[in-house]
Amino acid sequence: MSSLAELEKRLRHIEDERAIERMIAAYGPLVDAGEADAAAGLWAVDGSYDVEGWHMRSRDDVAAMVASDAHQGLIRRGCCHFLGPAVVTIDGDDAIAICESVLLLRRDDGYIAARAGANHFTLRRLDGRWQIVERKTRALDGSAEPRELLSSGVIGKNQ
């Protein structure tokens, strides 16, 4: 492979990683702003989002969650969904990413950390852009499953 072709390949890999990192980082600001359609647009049309006890099975389900009274109530009280830096592994048009997250809720005397989570993403390049095919989030509660999500994601293994 020529050095120019190698450089183009490396640049595309870096651009793909950056696009995925940016997409994951955008989730928190979008859901905290109540932008249901924009947040849901991060998912493939039939992409899923699995949080303990709640399995959203489509982009429309994600939009409905953000638009729900429960989520809108969080926004009105003051909240921050913060997703930490993502570790991304790319294989062609497929990728795995993991990150940890914290949900902060406003109280009269400041903010409390209401939840800390492990997030495992399966992504695919569809229609020329990266989209979430599956996201699984589990509370970092000391149990094995969230630790396994994180360790498998660091090595680029699907769950």
Side-chain angles (χ1 to χ4, degrees), residues 22-56:
R22 181 178 174 80
M23 181 182 62
I24 291 170
Y27 174 80
L30 289 172
V31 298
D32 291 338
E35 295 290 339
D37 291 336
L42 302 174
W43 269 259
V45 171
D46 60 351
S48 68
Y49 184 8
D50 177 4
V51 182
E52 301 97 352
W54 193 355
H55 196 133
M56 293 159 265

PDB file of all heavy atoms in Angstrom, residues 22-56:
ATOM      1  N   ARG A  22     -18.339  12.097  18.886  1.00  0.00           N
ATOM      2  CA  ARG A  22     -19.184  13.296  18.865  1.00  0.00           C
ATOM      3  C   ARG A  22     -20.663  12.918  18.983  1.00  0.00           C
ATOM      4  O   ARG A  22     -21.421  13.577  19.708  1.00  0.00           O
ATOM      5  CB  ARG A  22     -18.937  14.079  17.579  1.00  0.00           C
ATOM      6  CG  ARG A  22     -19.746  15.344  17.469  1.00  0.00           C
ATOM      7  CD  ARG A  22     -19.398  16.098  16.175  1.00  0.00           C
ATOM      8  NE  ARG A  22     -20.259  17.237  15.989  1.00  0.00           N
ATOM      9  CZ  ARG A  22     -20.127  18.403  16.584  1.00  0.00           C
ATOM     10  NH1 ARG A  22     -19.140  18.599  17.425  1.00  0.00           N
ATOM     11  NH2 ARG A  22     -20.983  19.392  16.345  1.00  0.00           N
ATOM     12  N   MET A  23     -21.067  11.868  18.301  1.00  0.00           N
ATOM     13  CA  MET A  23     -22.455  11.430  18.356  1.00  0.00           C
ATOM     14  C   MET A  23     -22.829  11.019  19.777  1.00  0.00           C
ATOM     15  O   MET A  23     -23.874  11.412  20.294  1.00  0.00           O
ATOM     16  CB  MET A  23     -22.686  10.263  17.390  1.00  0.00           C
ATOM     17  CG  MET A  23     -24.117   9.778  17.382  1.00  0.00           C
ATOM     18  SD  MET A  23     -24.377   8.371  16.306  1.00  0.00           S
ATOM     19  CE  MET A  23     -23.308   7.183  17.079  1.00  0.00           C
ATOM     20  N   ILE A  24     -21.977  10.242  20.420  1.00  0.00           N
ATOM     21  CA  ILE A  24     -22.248   9.810  21.795  1.00  0.00           C
ATOM     22  C   ILE A  24     -22.273  11.011  22.731  1.00  0.00           C
ATOM     23  O   ILE A  24     -23.155  11.128  23.590  1.00  0.00           O
ATOM     24  CB  ILE A  24     -21.228   8.738  22.234  1.00  0.00           C
ATOM     25  CG1 ILE A  24     -21.487   7.436  21.452  1.00  0.00           C
ATOM     26  CG2 ILE A  24     -21.287   8.512  23.743  1.00  0.00           C
ATOM     27  CD1 ILE A  24     -20.416   6.383  21.623  1.00  0.00           C
ATOM     28  N   ALA A  25     -21.344  11.938  22.557  1.00  0.00           N
ATOM     29  CA  ALA A  25     -21.305  13.137  23.399  1.00  0.00           C
ATOM     30  C   ALA A  25     -22.534  14.011  23.202  1.00  0.00           C
ATOM     31  O   ALA A  25     -22.948  14.724  24.116  1.00  0.00           O
ATOM     32  CB  ALA A  25     -20.036  13.934  23.108  1.00  0.00           C
ATOM     33  N   ALA A  26     -23.150  13.966  22.019  1.00  0.00           N
ATOM     34  CA  ALA A  26     -24.324  14.794  21.735  1.00  0.00           C
ATOM     35  C   ALA A  26     -25.574  14.304  22.449  1.00  0.00           C
ATOM     36  O   ALA A  26     -26.525  15.082  22.654  1.00  0.00           O
ATOM     37  CB  ALA A  26     -24.582  14.830  20.224  1.00  0.00           C
ATOM     38  N   TYR A  27     -25.600  13.036  22.852  1.00  0.00           N
ATOM     39  CA  TYR A  27     -26.813  12.477  23.454  1.00  0.00           C
ATOM     40  C   TYR A  27     -27.261  13.293  24.673  1.00  0.00           C
ATOM     41  O   TYR A  27     -28.426  13.690  24.762  1.00  0.00           O
ATOM     42  CB  TYR A  27     -26.600  11.007  23.845  1.00  0.00           C
ATOM     43  CG  TYR A  27     -27.781  10.439  24.588  1.00  0.00           C
ATOM     44  CD1 TYR A  27     -28.911  10.007  23.903  1.00  0.00           C
ATOM     45  CD2 TYR A  27     -27.800  10.371  25.981  1.00  0.00           C
ATOM     46  CE1 TYR A  27     -30.019   9.520  24.587  1.00  0.00           C
ATOM     47  CE2 TYR A  27     -28.894   9.883  26.668  1.00  0.00           C
ATOM     48  CZ  TYR A  27     -30.005   9.453  25.965  1.00  0.00           C
ATOM     49  OH  TYR A  27     -31.098   8.980  26.636  1.00  0.00           O
ATOM     50  N   GLY A  28     -26.373  13.535  25.613  1.00  0.00           N
ATOM     51  CA  GLY A  28     -26.743  14.243  26.838  1.00  0.00           C
ATOM     52  C   GLY A  28     -27.324  15.623  26.580  1.00  0.00           C
ATOM     53  O   GLY A  28     -28.425  15.939  27.051  1.00  0.00           O
ATOM     54  N   PRO A  29     -26.627  16.491  25.845  1.00  0.00           N
ATOM     55  CA  PRO A  29     -27.197  17.803  25.573  1.00  0.00           C
ATOM     56  C   PRO A  29     -28.542  17.733  24.851  1.00  0.00           C
ATOM     57  O   PRO A  29     -29.441  18.540  25.129  1.00  0.00           O
ATOM     58  CB  PRO A  29     -26.131  18.478  24.697  1.00  0.00           C
ATOM     59  CG  PRO A  29     -24.844  17.825  25.115  1.00  0.00           C
ATOM     60  CD  PRO A  29     -25.223  16.401  25.403  1.00  0.00           C
ATOM     61  N   LEU A  30     -28.700  16.792  23.939  1.00  0.00           N
ATOM     62  CA  LEU A  30     -29.971  16.692  23.210  1.00  0.00           C
ATOM     63  C   LEU A  30     -31.119  16.273  24.126  1.00  0.00           C
ATOM     64  O   LEU A  30     -32.207  16.857  24.067  1.00  0.00           O
ATOM     65  CB  LEU A  30     -29.843  15.722  22.032  1.00  0.00           C
ATOM     66  CG  LEU A  30     -28.989  16.222  20.871  1.00  0.00           C
ATOM     67  CD1 LEU A  30     -28.768  15.102  19.855  1.00  0.00           C
ATOM     68  CD2 LEU A  30     -29.612  17.446  20.212  1.00  0.00           C
ATOM     69  N   VAL A  31     -30.904  15.259  24.980  1.00  0.00           N
ATOM     70  CA  VAL A  31     -32.011  14.835  25.849  1.00  0.00           C
ATOM     71  C   VAL A  31     -32.279  15.858  26.940  1.00  0.00           C
ATOM     72  O   VAL A  31     -33.430  16.037  27.347  1.00  0.00           O
ATOM     73  CB  VAL A  31     -31.827  13.412  26.440  1.00  0.00           C
ATOM     74  CG1 VAL A  31     -31.780  12.375  25.339  1.00  0.00           C
ATOM     75  CG2 VAL A  31     -30.628  13.324  27.348  1.00  0.00           C
ATOM     76  N   ASP A  32     -31.232  16.570  27.397  1.00  0.00           N
ATOM     77  CA  ASP A  32     -31.447  17.598  28.417  1.00  0.00           C
ATOM     78  C   ASP A  32     -32.141  18.827  27.845  1.00  0.00           C
ATOM     79  O   ASP A  32     -32.806  19.566  28.576  1.00  0.00           O
ATOM     80  CB  ASP A  32     -30.122  17.996  29.063  1.00  0.00           C
ATOM     81  CG  ASP A  32     -29.545  16.870  29.923  1.00  0.00           C
ATOM     82  OD1 ASP A  32     -30.311  15.981  30.351  1.00  0.00           O
ATOM     83  OD2 ASP A  32     -28.321  16.875  30.158  1.00  0.00           O
ATOM     84  N   ALA A  33     -32.002  19.056  26.546  1.00  0.00           N
ATOM     85  CA  ALA A  33     -32.714  20.151  25.877  1.00  0.00           C
ATOM     86  C   ALA A  33     -34.114  19.732  25.455  1.00  0.00           C
ATOM     87  O   ALA A  33     -34.891  20.558  24.977  1.00  0.00           O
ATOM     88  CB  ALA A  33     -31.917  20.624  24.660  1.00  0.00           C
ATOM     89  N   GLY A  34     -34.438  18.446  25.605  1.00  0.00           N
ATOM     90  CA  GLY A  34     -35.753  17.949  25.216  1.00  0.00           C
ATOM     91  C   GLY A  34     -35.912  17.788  23.716  1.00  0.00           C
ATOM     92  O   GLY A  34     -37.033  17.728  23.217  1.00  0.00           O
ATOM     93  N   GLU A  35     -34.823  17.681  22.998  1.00  0.00           N
ATOM     94  CA  GLU A  35     -34.848  17.546  21.536  1.00  0.00           C
ATOM     95  C   GLU A  35     -35.093  16.080  21.160  1.00  0.00           C
ATOM     96  O   GLU A  35     -34.168  15.348  20.784  1.00  0.00           O
ATOM     97  CB  GLU A  35     -33.537  18.057  20.941  1.00  0.00           C
ATOM     98  CG  GLU A  35     -33.317  19.532  21.144  1.00  0.00           C
ATOM     99  CD  GLU A  35     -34.270  20.387  20.326  1.00  0.00           C
ATOM    100  OE1 GLU A  35     -34.829  19.898  19.317  1.00  0.00           O
ATOM    101  OE2 GLU A  35     -34.468  21.560  20.700  1.00  0.00           O
ATOM    102  N   ALA A  36     -36.344  15.655  21.252  1.00  0.00           N
ATOM    103  CA  ALA A  36     -36.697  14.244  21.085  1.00  0.00           C
ATOM    104  C   ALA A  36     -36.311  13.702  19.715  1.00  0.00           C
ATOM    105  O   ALA A  36     -35.700  12.630  19.620  1.00  0.00           O
ATOM    106  CB  ALA A  36     -38.196  14.045  21.326  1.00  0.00           C
ATOM    107  N   ASP A  37     -36.640  14.418  18.664  1.00  0.00           N
ATOM    108  CA  ASP A  37     -36.352  13.912  17.318  1.00  0.00           C
ATOM    109  C   ASP A  37     -34.861  13.891  17.035  1.00  0.00           C
ATOM    110  O   ASP A  37     -34.351  12.948  16.423  1.00  0.00           O
ATOM    111  CB  ASP A  37     -37.079  14.731  16.256  1.00  0.00           C
ATOM    112  CG  ASP A  37     -38.593  14.519  16.298  1.00  0.00           C
ATOM    113  OD1 ASP A  37     -39.030  13.458  16.793  1.00  0.00           O
ATOM    114  OD2 ASP A  37     -39.323  15.415  15.842  1.00  0.00           O
ATOM    115  N   ALA A  38     -34.146  14.919  17.473  1.00  0.00           N
ATOM    116  CA  ALA A  38     -32.697  14.958  17.245  1.00  0.00           C
ATOM    117  C   ALA A  38     -31.990  13.855  18.035  1.00  0.00           C
ATOM    118  O   ALA A  38     -31.092  13.186  17.514  1.00  0.00           O
ATOM    119  CB  ALA A  38     -32.138  16.327  17.605  1.00  0.00           C
ATOM    120  N   ALA A  39     -32.395  13.653  19.282  1.00  0.00           N
ATOM    121  CA  ALA A  39     -31.794  12.577  20.084  1.00  0.00           C
ATOM    122  C   ALA A  39     -32.092  11.228  19.454  1.00  0.00           C
ATOM    123  O   ALA A  39     -31.202  10.384  19.304  1.00  0.00           O
ATOM    124  CB  ALA A  39     -32.312  12.627  21.519  1.00  0.00           C
ATOM    125  N   ALA A  40     -33.341  11.019  19.051  1.00  0.00           N
ATOM    126  CA  ALA A  40     -33.721   9.746  18.430  1.00  0.00           C
ATOM    127  C   ALA A  40     -33.009   9.543  17.105  1.00  0.00           C
ATOM    128  O   ALA A  40     -32.730   8.407  16.709  1.00  0.00           O
ATOM    129  CB  ALA A  40     -35.231   9.698  18.233  1.00  0.00           C
ATOM    130  N   GLY A  41     -32.671  10.632  16.425  1.00  0.00           N
ATOM    131  CA  GLY A  41     -31.966  10.544  15.154  1.00  0.00           C
ATOM    132  C   GLY A  41     -30.574   9.970  15.257  1.00  0.00           C
ATOM    133  O   GLY A  41     -29.968   9.619  14.243  1.00  0.00           O
ATOM    134  N   LEU A  42     -30.055   9.815  16.469  1.00  0.00           N
ATOM    135  CA  LEU A  42     -28.766   9.155  16.661  1.00  0.00           C
ATOM    136  C   LEU A  42     -28.887   7.653  16.415  1.00  0.00           C
ATOM    137  O   LEU A  42     -27.894   6.979  16.160  1.00  0.00           O
ATOM    138  CB  LEU A  42     -28.235   9.406  18.074  1.00  0.00           C
ATOM    139  CG  LEU A  42     -28.041  10.869  18.480  1.00  0.00           C
ATOM    140  CD1 LEU A  42     -27.654  10.953  19.949  1.00  0.00           C
ATOM    141  CD2 LEU A  42     -27.016  11.560  17.596  1.00  0.00           C
ATOM    142  N   TRP A  43     -30.110   7.114  16.504  1.00  0.00           N
ATOM    143  CA  TRP A  43     -30.377   5.691  16.354  1.00  0.00           C
ATOM    144  C   TRP A  43     -30.736   5.346  14.911  1.00  0.00           C
ATOM    145  O   TRP A  43     -31.319   6.164  14.196  1.00  0.00           O
ATOM    146  CB  TRP A  43     -31.547   5.280  17.247  1.00  0.00           C
ATOM    147  CG  TRP A  43     -31.136   4.822  18.607  1.00  0.00           C
ATOM    148  CD1 TRP A  43     -31.030   3.526  19.037  1.00  0.00           C
ATOM    149  CD2 TRP A  43     -30.782   5.634  19.728  1.00  0.00           C
ATOM    150  NE1 TRP A  43     -30.612   3.497  20.351  1.00  0.00           N
ATOM    151  CE2 TRP A  43     -30.453   4.774  20.798  1.00  0.00           C
ATOM    152  CE3 TRP A  43     -30.689   7.006  19.930  1.00  0.00           C
ATOM    153  CZ2 TRP A  43     -30.056   5.234  22.040  1.00  0.00           C
ATOM    154  CZ3 TRP A  43     -30.290   7.479  21.162  1.00  0.00           C
ATOM    155  CH2 TRP A  43     -29.982   6.597  22.201  1.00  0.00           C
ATOM    156  N   ALA A  44     -30.451   4.106  14.536  1.00  0.00           N
ATOM    157  CA  ALA A  44     -30.992   3.551  13.301  1.00  0.00           C
ATOM    158  C   ALA A  44     -32.509   3.465  13.465  1.00  0.00           C
ATOM    159  O   ALA A  44     -33.026   3.419  14.600  1.00  0.00           O
ATOM    160  CB  ALA A  44     -30.411   2.159  13.037  1.00  0.00           C
ATOM    161  N   VAL A  45     -33.237   3.432  12.370  1.00  0.00           N
ATOM    162  CA  VAL A  45     -34.702   3.385  12.429  1.00  0.00           C
ATOM    163  C   VAL A  45     -35.177   2.255  13.336  1.00  0.00           C
ATOM    164  O   VAL A  45     -36.093   2.433  14.143  1.00  0.00           O
ATOM    165  CB  VAL A  45     -35.299   3.240  11.009  1.00  0.00           C
ATOM    166  CG1 VAL A  45     -36.795   2.969  11.065  1.00  0.00           C
ATOM    167  CG2 VAL A  45     -35.013   4.489  10.188  1.00  0.00           C
ATOM    168  N   ASP A  46     -34.543   1.095  13.245  1.00  0.00           N
ATOM    169  CA  ASP A  46     -34.929  -0.054  14.067  1.00  0.00           C
ATOM    170  C   ASP A  46     -33.924  -0.325  15.186  1.00  0.00           C
ATOM    171  O   ASP A  46     -33.853  -1.422  15.717  1.00  0.00           O
ATOM    172  CB  ASP A  46     -35.119  -1.292  13.204  1.00  0.00           C
ATOM    173  CG  ASP A  46     -33.860  -1.685  12.450  1.00  0.00           C
ATOM    174  OD1 ASP A  46     -32.880  -0.903  12.449  1.00  0.00           O
ATOM    175  OD2 ASP A  46     -33.838  -2.778  11.850  1.00  0.00           O
ATOM    176  N   GLY A  47     -33.163   0.713  15.559  1.00  0.00           N
ATOM    177  CA  GLY A  47     -32.181   0.560  16.627  1.00  0.00           C
ATOM    178  C   GLY A  47     -32.847   0.427  17.983  1.00  0.00           C
ATOM    179  O   GLY A  47     -33.968   0.891  18.193  1.00  0.00           O
ATOM    180  N   SER A  48     -32.145  -0.196  18.920  1.00  0.00           N
ATOM    181  CA  SER A  48     -32.729  -0.434  20.241  1.00  0.00           C
ATOM    182  C   SER A  48     -31.935   0.274  21.333  1.00  0.00           C
ATOM    183  O   SER A  48     -30.757   0.579  21.170  1.00  0.00           O
ATOM    184  CB  SER A  48     -32.795  -1.935  20.534  1.00  0.00           C
ATOM    185  OG  SER A  48     -31.499  -2.473  20.688  1.00  0.00           O
ATOM    186  N   TYR A  49     -32.628   0.518  22.438  1.00  0.00           N
ATOM    187  CA  TYR A  49     -32.023   1.110  23.634  1.00  0.00           C
ATOM    188  C   TYR A  49     -32.590   0.352  24.813  1.00  0.00           C
ATOM    189  O   TYR A  49     -33.783   0.418  25.098  1.00  0.00           O
ATOM    190  CB  TYR A  49     -32.347   2.595  23.702  1.00  0.00           C
ATOM    191  CG  TYR A  49     -31.696   3.359  24.844  1.00  0.00           C
ATOM    192  CD1 TYR A  49     -30.737   2.795  25.675  1.00  0.00           C
ATOM    193  CD2 TYR A  49     -32.055   4.677  25.081  1.00  0.00           C
ATOM    194  CE1 TYR A  49     -30.162   3.510  26.699  1.00  0.00           C
ATOM    195  CE2 TYR A  49     -31.478   5.419  26.101  1.00  0.00           C
ATOM    196  CZ  TYR A  49     -30.534   4.828  26.916  1.00  0.00           C
ATOM    197  OH  TYR A  49     -29.966   5.549  27.933  1.00  0.00           O
ATOM    198  N   ASP A  50     -31.722  -0.379  25.498  1.00  0.00           N
ATOM    199  CA  ASP A  50     -32.114  -1.262  26.594  1.00  0.00           C
ATOM    200  C   ASP A  50     -31.548  -0.725  27.903  1.00  0.00           C
ATOM    201  O   ASP A  50     -30.340  -0.729  28.107  1.00  0.00           O
ATOM    202  CB  ASP A  50     -31.585  -2.670  26.297  1.00  0.00           C
ATOM    203  CG  ASP A  50     -31.861  -3.674  27.397  1.00  0.00           C
ATOM    204  OD1 ASP A  50     -32.531  -3.341  28.384  1.00  0.00           O
ATOM    205  OD2 ASP A  50     -31.379  -4.815  27.268  1.00  0.00           O
ATOM    206  N   VAL A  51     -32.448  -0.215  28.746  1.00  0.00           N
ATOM    207  CA  VAL A  51     -32.103   0.215  30.095  1.00  0.00           C
ATOM    208  C   VAL A  51     -32.907  -0.682  31.019  1.00  0.00           C
ATOM    209  O   VAL A  51     -34.049  -1.017  30.697  1.00  0.00           O
ATOM    210  CB  VAL A  51     -32.497   1.695  30.319  1.00  0.00           C
ATOM    211  CG1 VAL A  51     -32.103   2.163  31.707  1.00  0.00           C
ATOM    212  CG2 VAL A  51     -31.879   2.578  29.260  1.00  0.00           C
ATOM    213  N   GLU A  52     -32.333  -1.068  32.158  1.00  0.00           N
ATOM    214  CA  GLU A  52     -33.037  -1.999  33.041  1.00  0.00           C
ATOM    215  C   GLU A  52     -34.542  -1.766  33.057  1.00  0.00           C
ATOM    216  O   GLU A  52     -34.991  -0.669  33.378  1.00  0.00           O
ATOM    217  CB  GLU A  52     -32.543  -1.878  34.496  1.00  0.00           C
ATOM    218  CG  GLU A  52     -31.094  -2.143  34.703  1.00  0.00           C
ATOM    219  CD  GLU A  52     -30.276  -0.867  34.737  1.00  0.00           C
ATOM    220  OE1 GLU A  52     -30.809   0.215  34.455  1.00  0.00           O
ATOM    221  OE2 GLU A  52     -29.074  -0.969  35.030  1.00  0.00           O
ATOM    222  N   GLY A  53     -35.295  -2.776  32.676  1.00  0.00           N
ATOM    223  CA  GLY A  53     -36.744  -2.701  32.748  1.00  0.00           C
ATOM    224  C   GLY A  53     -37.409  -1.904  31.648  1.00  0.00           C
ATOM    225  O   GLY A  53     -38.621  -1.761  31.634  1.00  0.00           O
ATOM    226  N   TRP A  54     -36.644  -1.356  30.726  1.00  0.00           N
ATOM    227  CA  TRP A  54     -37.222  -0.546  29.660  1.00  0.00           C
ATOM    228  C   TRP A  54     -36.443  -0.824  28.390  1.00  0.00           C
ATOM    229  O   TRP A  54     -35.260  -0.508  28.304  1.00  0.00           O
ATOM    230  CB  TRP A  54     -37.144   0.917  30.011  1.00  0.00           C
ATOM    231  CG  TRP A  54     -37.976   1.812  29.142  1.00  0.00           C
ATOM    232  CD1 TRP A  54     -38.702   1.460  28.039  1.00  0.00           C
ATOM    233  CD2 TRP A  54     -38.161   3.213  29.295  1.00  0.00           C
ATOM    234  NE1 TRP A  54     -39.319   2.550  27.503  1.00  0.00           N
ATOM    235  CE2 TRP A  54     -39.006   3.646  28.272  1.00  0.00           C
ATOM    236  CE3 TRP A  54     -37.692   4.146  30.211  1.00  0.00           C
ATOM    237  CZ2 TRP A  54     -39.396   4.970  28.122  1.00  0.00           C
ATOM    238  CZ3 TRP A  54     -38.079   5.463  30.062  1.00  0.00           C
ATOM    239  CH2 TRP A  54     -38.925   5.864  29.031  1.00  0.00           C
ATOM    240  N   HIS A  55     -37.110  -1.423  27.414  1.00  0.00           N
ATOM    241  CA  HIS A  55     -36.451  -1.767  26.155  1.00  0.00           C
ATOM    242  C   HIS A  55     -37.147  -1.024  25.018  1.00  0.00           C
ATOM    243  O   HIS A  55     -38.249  -1.383  24.620  1.00  0.00           O
ATOM    244  CB  HIS A  55     -36.495  -3.283  25.909  1.00  0.00           C
ATOM    245  CG  HIS A  55     -35.535  -3.714  24.867  1.00  0.00           C
ATOM    246  ND1 HIS A  55     -34.709  -4.791  25.027  1.00  0.00           N
ATOM    247  CD2 HIS A  55     -35.242  -3.214  23.646  1.00  0.00           C
ATOM    248  CE1 HIS A  55     -33.961  -4.945  23.948  1.00  0.00           C
ATOM    249  NE2 HIS A  55     -34.276  -3.980  23.087  1.00  0.00           N
ATOM    250  N   MET A  56     -36.473   0.006  24.539  1.00  0.00           N
ATOM    251  CA  MET A  56     -36.972   0.750  23.390  1.00  0.00           C
ATOM    252  C   MET A  56     -36.477   0.032  22.141  1.00  0.00           C
ATOM    253  O   MET A  56     -35.309  -0.312  22.056  1.00  0.00           O
ATOM    254  CB  MET A  56     -36.467   2.194  23.444  1.00  0.00           C
ATOM    255  CG  MET A  56     -37.069   2.972  24.611  1.00  0.00           C
ATOM    256  SD  MET A  56     -36.108   4.423  25.090  1.00  0.00           S
ATOM    257  CE  MET A  56     -35.110   3.722  26.412  1.00  0.00           C
TER     258      MET A  56
END
